[in-house]
Amino acid sequence: MIYADNAATTRMSRTAMDAMLPCMREVWGNPSSLYGFGQKAAEALEEAREKIAACLGASTPKEIYFTSGGSEADNQAILSAAENGAKQGKKHIISTAFEHHAVLHTLKKLEQEGFEIELLDVHADGMISPDQVDRAIRDDTALVTTMYANNEIGSILPIAAIGAVCREHRVTFHTDAVQAAGHLPIDVQKENIDLLSLSGHKFHGPKGVGVLYVRKGVSLRNLIEGGAQERGKRAGTENVPAIVGMAAALSEACSRMAEDTNKVVAMRQRLMDGLAKIPHSILNGDPEKRLPGNVSFCFEGIEGESLLLLLDDRGICASSGSACTSGSLDPSHVLLSIGRPHEIAHGSLRLSLCADNTEEDVDKILQAVPEVVAYLRSISPLWMDKMSGKRPFILS
Ligand SMILES: *Cc1c(COP(=O)(O)O)cnc(C)c1O
């Protein structure tokens, strides 16, 4: 099997598993218990907090809060900033049209509660400029939330510059860094980030665990009532093995980042260059300012779902932007946000590589995708119409 869907989830690393096992076999006490056995678990937890704080450049481990994943961290960050803003009569929130649903759906909820949500238009190359943020900020802006890197088209936003704009206007800045953490260097202080979300399973850690970084001085609202874990901001007995595994995975990813990036970018480049040769295709996102492992294309005249199923038959795990998971036929909001017409957005393919992939994987993908695209076109009545000139081509 060739796994090329690392933006959906990653295989857990050996390092993460090795760090987790002792937390299940030996150090399985409750970190809130006062006896030494429980305190051993509490120590493991604090060690994990320190490691993660160091990877993000946080000023103290106290700024790290553990959550059940990226979605919860996004929810908590946005709802907290909204509540803080509302207390001062600020109910305007700025975000972008291509955020993850964990962000967009939380904003939708706030809109129903009377907040004004302004989604910035994404430029055709998949970018948001600091200028757009600057122009959108008002006296009653409670929060700016823009993702660090997009999960579908891979674009990396100018986070440090957006952070600087927010700091200048004293507006709280949150970034969903789920795709970036462990893949791009992050420094929350240098980049003026107030709130940041990440998720363990996107960098070879376990699923169901994540982090919300909260700059000292930004007040946090708890979403789950109960015990006093996470300094009263997130009740529930901590998932110590997962937290320890996540910290080990992030530390490893950060220490190997330079070499992994070189390897992955070389494979991505070859994949991008090869797939660009398919006629009537288009690359999604910026050719350079993109996540190391992300390749995203639209192919005219095919359905992304059919492409995925045929690639699966050939042992290749990939993804499409279409929202097939929701059972709807709506194309991806991300592809629509960069101006792809519906018909084109339906024919999308996302391949996301990691350092475990090989050049041989790339060879096989480069063999399979053009063949499958050609086959699907050959059986498409729509494609026949385009070939005979009855309908125009959209992509050159
Ligand atoms: C995966 C992902 C999430 C959700 O994280 P979970 O840990 O799966 O809840 C949020 N935002 C982005 C950009 C993601 O890629």
Side-chain angles (χ1 to χ4, degrees):
M1 180 189 79
I2 295 173
Y3 187 76
D5 200 16
N6 286 278
T9 197
T10 56
R11 167 189 175 141
M12 220 196 289
S13 69
R14 195 51 201 264
T15 307
M17 288 191 246
D18 287 348
M20 290 170 78
L21 261 182
C23 298
M24 295 186 253
R25 283 201 173 123
E26 292 126 34
V27 193
W28 46 264
N30 188 321
S32 299
S33 299
L34 288 180
Y35 38 74
F37 180 58
Q39 283 309 296
K40 277 222 166 82
E43 278 165 29
L45 208 58
E46 292 322 301
E47 216 174 281
R49 209 183 298 278
E50 283 163 24
K51 275 189 190 165
I52 290 169
C55 289
L56 298 177
S59 65
T60 151
K62 288 196 182 105
E63 295 178 322
I64 304 300
Y65 291 84
F66 296 119
T67 68
S68 68
S71 299
E72 186 188 328
D74 283 342
N75 274 255
Q76 192 169 12
I78 292 167
L79 295 174
S80 295
E83 188 177 277
N84 296 340
K87 280 183 194 149
Q88 306 164 52
K90 298 179 176 181
K91 299 189 86 173
H92 176 240
I93 297 176
I94 299 165
S95 188
T96 78
F98 72 163
E99 296 296 311
H100 190 272
H101 282 140
V103 168
L104 288 179
H105 291 175
T106 306
L107 294 176
K108 198 89 205 143
K109 192 163 111 177
L110 286 170
E111 192 167 46
Q112 285 156 4
E113 292 169 12
F115 283 82
E116 187 186 334
I117 309 299
E118 185 171 347
L119 299 183
L120 301 175
D121 289 334
V122 184
H123 194 255
D125 62 1
M127 281 296 151
I128 294 281
S129 73
D131 228 39
Q132 281 175 283
V133 177
D134 192 45
R135 271 179 275 133
I137 289 179
R138 310 190 314 213
D139 288 343
D140 64 341
T141 302
L143 168 71
V144 170
T145 172
T146 67
M147 66 201 324
Y148 205 111
N150 185 273
N151 45 304
E152 282 183 38
I153 60 174
S155 30
I156 301 169
L157 272 55
I159 288 301
I162 295 174
V165 166
C166 294
R167 189 57 57 86
E168 186 193 324
H169 293 281
R170 296 169 188 271
V171 175
T172 304
F173 176 44
H174 166 250
T175 184
D176 173 342
V178 174
Q179 289 291 330
H183 303 277
L184 300 172
I186 295 178
D187 187 319
V188 287
Q189 295 189 73
K190 279 197 194 124
E191 295 170 275
N192 289 308
I193 295 164
D194 296 314
L195 297 154
L196 175 144
S197 313
L198 61 79
S199 172
H201 74 103
K202 302 286 175 79
F203 48 77
H204 304 280
K207 294 169 182 58
V209 65
V211 160
L212 177 57
Y213 159 83
V214 184
R215 180 185 292 279
K216 210 164 51 185
V218 176
S219 89
L220 199 59
R221 158 187 168 187
N222 53 342
L223 303 186
I224 299 175
E225 305 291 342
Q229 290 91 354
E230 297 301 289
R231 298 206 308 291
K233 298 304 180 190
R234 208 285 181 176
T237 303
E238 301 87 343
N239 187 346
V240 181
I243 289 168
V244 166
M246 168 173 63
L250 188 63
S251 288
E252 183 178 52
C254 291
S255 67
R256 294 174 36 164
M257 196 180 290
E259 58 183 294
D260 281 0
T261 299
N262 281 341
K263 179 181 177 195
V264 173
V265 166
M267 290 190 287
R268 174 198 80 191
Q269 213 53 37
R270 205 153 71 78
L271 213 42
M272 265 171 29
D273 294 345
L275 296 181
K277 291 186 190 135
I278 296 176
H280 308 283
S281 68
I282 190 166
L283 176 74
N284 299 312
D286 190 281
E288 268 136 39
K289 280 177 240 144
R290 65 191 303 128
L291 286 165
N294 176 286
V295 175
S296 170
F297 273 89
C298 285
F299 304 109
E300 183 163 1
I302 63 155
E303 285 293 334
E305 280 75 14
S306 316
L307 177 57
L308 292 192
L309 293 175
L310 292 176
L311 288 177
D312 185 28
D313 285 346
R314 292 174 172 233
I316 297 169
C317 305
S319 162
S320 162
S322 319
C324 44
T325 42
S326 66
S328 78
L329 283 172
D330 291 342
S332 141
H333 68 287
V334 174
L335 296 174
L336 296 181
S337 81
I338 58 167
R340 299 280 175 262
H342 278 239
E343 187 195 322
I344 297 301
H346 273 299
S348 62
L349 173 69
R350 177 189 71 188
L351 298 158
S352 40
L353 306 175
C354 75
D356 296 338
N357 287 110
T358 61
E359 293 290 348
E360 200 191 343
D361 291 348
V362 175
D363 291 337
K364 287 185 177 152
I365 296 171
L366 283 176
Q367 176 77 34
V369 175
E371 285 177 13
V372 172
V373 169
Y375 167 72
L376 287 172
R377 284 173 173 171
S378 75
I379 58 167
S380 157
L382 181 67
W383 189 255
M384 295 306 139
D385 278 1
K386 289 179 191 259
M387 292 300 281
S388 68
K390 259 194 238 163
R391 286 168 196 262
F393 284 107
I394 299 172
L395 301 176
S396 55

